[in-house]
Amino acid sequence: MTVNRDSILDALRVLKLPDGEDVVAKDMIRALAVDNGTVRFVIEAAPEVAKHLEPLRAAAQQIVERMDGVQGASVLLTAHSDKKPPSLKVGKHPEPQAGPTKPKGVARILAIASGKGGVGKSTLSSNLAVALAKQGRKVGLLDADIYGPSQPRMMGVSKRPASPDGKTIIPLKAHGVTMMSIGLMMDPDKAIVWRGPMLMGALQQMLGQVEWGELDVLIVDLPPGTGDVQLTLCTKSELTGAIVVSTPQDVALLDAKKAIDMFNTLKTPVLGLVENMSMYICPTCGTEAHIFGHGGVRAEAEKMGLPFLGEIPLDIDVRLSGDSGTPIAAGDGPVAQAYAKLAEGLVKGGMA
């Protein structure tokens, strides 16, 4: 049995508080992560309540440890303060800078682009970050898809990052990856209705005001298209290069080629292409099916004289893992191995 976020939360609903509500309904379970059978999470409560909850914490740990598929559990108890942190405005207009910069302590910045939506660019970004972390690299993940941030859900984080002084932002960590997303700073149910300058300012803030620490590589999940965010990243930061992801069919490759042309125009190196949803293996009969075609990205890479970095298969567990907040690269299996191979190639090539 595969343990996941939903099954753990369901099991914890038996833990009731004096008012009759359970800890899940009270939104007290935070930073829940599942990594190769090891479960970690925090029970967060108000200070006056938390000091009485050690028996509940111990009970929560016992419940999870007894679940099928769990090899170990770590449950912490923490108290939050009602004191509001300093105000941090996100989405202000960009500030002038002398030239391209790079966050302090970050060795490389890799942009993950597609030219269009729906080809699995964000899924590839999160899984590549986790795969690199599993290989011992210090990895950051920046969700730069301002209008449609999906990394908080895919990485299983929801807590708002702290800002101790109203200027710096303390990023969150999940699955060995340091991450930041505009989705963590905004109401998840509200649309972000910003013009270009506010988009550019938000990206500048997430690059320059976040305390990224020492990183071997910072992966930037770009939005679809060739707009303001791409232009800002390429001209205002010291990009190591871009990786372009596409599905094999011609209609996706048309937009991927536009993304490559954009990077060439902005003098940003294209490090290679990845073919996502390359094949589907039937879990029942083992038949290999090419739902979106096969080999189109490799052929296009050869035609353009660019490295072909690898193929990622189409698998329902990719979707299930992303929805549950534990990227499939955190586990084992054919898809995880495909991401591990991709990560290994980037490390050997000096790109990560």
Side-chain angles (χ1 to χ4, degrees):
M1 177 180 175
T2 301
V3 66
N4 57 38
R5 179 183 179 86
D6 291 338
S7 62
I8 293 168
L9 291 176
D10 285 343
L12 293 174
R13 292 183 190 277
V14 301
L15 297 174
K16 304 292 185 180
L17 299 164
D19 62 4
E21 282 200 89
D22 63 76
V23 293
V24 177
K26 280 281 193 179
D27 194 27
M28 294 171 64
I29 307 300
R30 301 297 179 92
L32 174 58
V34 184
D35 188 3
N36 289 330
T38 299
V39 179
R40 299 181 180 86
F41 60 90
V42 172
I43 299 176
E44 185 178 81
E48 64 274 11
V49 176
K51 60 185 179 182
H52 302 296
L53 294 184
E54 173 53 29
L56 184 142
R57 184 210 65 79
Q61 183 158 326
Q62 289 181 359
I63 288 171
V64 175
E65 286 176 338
R66 291 170 182 168
M67 294 179 67
D68 291 340
V70 174
Q71 298 177 8
S74 174
V75 182
L76 300 179
L77 181 62
T78 186
H80 67 74
S81 172
D82 292 331
K83 183 179 178 182
K84 293 183 178 180
S87 175
L88 174 66
K89 182 180 179 181
V90 180
K92 62 183 182 179
H93 283 221
E95 297 179 358
Q97 60 184 64
T101 62
K102 186 165 56 177
K104 182 181 178 181
V106 176
R108 305 169 190 83
I109 303 176
L110 294 183
I112 309 297
S114 64
K116 69 170 292 168
V119 298
K121 167 187 52 57
S122 294
T123 299
L124 186 134
S125 296
S126 58
N127 279 285
L128 178 57
V130 171
L132 286 168
K134 286 178 69 176
Q135 296 204 10
R137 309 303 286 169
K138 296 177 182 177
V139 186
L141 175 62
L142 171 56
D143 186 357
D145 193 346
I146 307 296
Y147 290 137
S150 55
Q151 294 301 347
R153 179 62 180 268
M154 289 183 172
M155 295 293 286
V157 295
S158 58
K159 187 176 180 180
R160 182 183 174 91
S163 178
D165 56 5
K167 296 179 182 178
T168 57
I169 304 170
I170 309 301
L172 303 184
K173 293 193 176 183
H175 311 293
V177 176
T178 301
M179 71 153 297
M180 178 61 197
S181 169
I182 195 71
L184 298 170
M185 308 293 289
M186 313 296 287
D187 185 333
D189 296 324
K190 298 292 185 182
I192 297 176
V193 187
W194 288 349
R195 294 187 185 275
M198 294 181 70
L199 293 176
M200 294 184 282
L203 180 61
Q204 187 183 56
Q205 285 181 277
M206 291 193 293
L207 281 169
Q209 290 182 228
V210 172
E211 293 288 343
W212 289 107
E214 298 293 325
L215 297 179
D216 295 311
V217 58
L218 174 61
I219 292 175
V220 182
D221 177 19
L222 288 173
T226 55
D228 290 321
V229 172
Q230 288 85 346
L231 181 62
T232 300
L233 184 70
C234 291
T235 57
K236 300 296 185 181
S237 64
E238 296 178 11
L239 266 183
T240 303
I243 294 173
V244 176
V245 56
S246 176
T247 47
Q249 77 269 36
D250 291 343
V251 69
L253 285 165
L254 288 173
D255 291 310
K257 286 189 284 188
K258 291 177 183 176
I260 293 169
D261 182 65
M262 174 196 69
F263 288 123
N264 290 336
T265 300
L266 297 173
K267 295 180 170 48
T268 297
V270 176
L271 303 178
L273 279 66
V274 175
E275 182 168 286
N276 198 25
M277 308 182 200
S278 182
M279 68 198 77
Y280 173 72
I281 307 296
C282 176
T284 304
C285 65
T287 301
E288 181 176 311
H290 300 144
I291 297 174
F292 298 106
H294 183 259
V297 178
R298 181 190 293 272
E300 197 62 42
E302 292 175 355
K303 189 186 302 182
M304 302 181 77
L306 293 171
F308 179 69
L309 301 177
E311 301 174 344
I312 306 295
L314 175 66
D315 194 300
I316 191 172
D317 285 338
V318 175
R319 193 270 297 173
L320 294 173
S321 298
D323 285 349
S324 70
T326 303
I328 197 168
D332 298 311
V335 181
Q337 291 169 12
Y339 277 112
K341 184 177 180 181
L342 173 59
E344 183 180 357
L346 292 176
V347 172
K348 287 184 177 179
M351 293 176 274

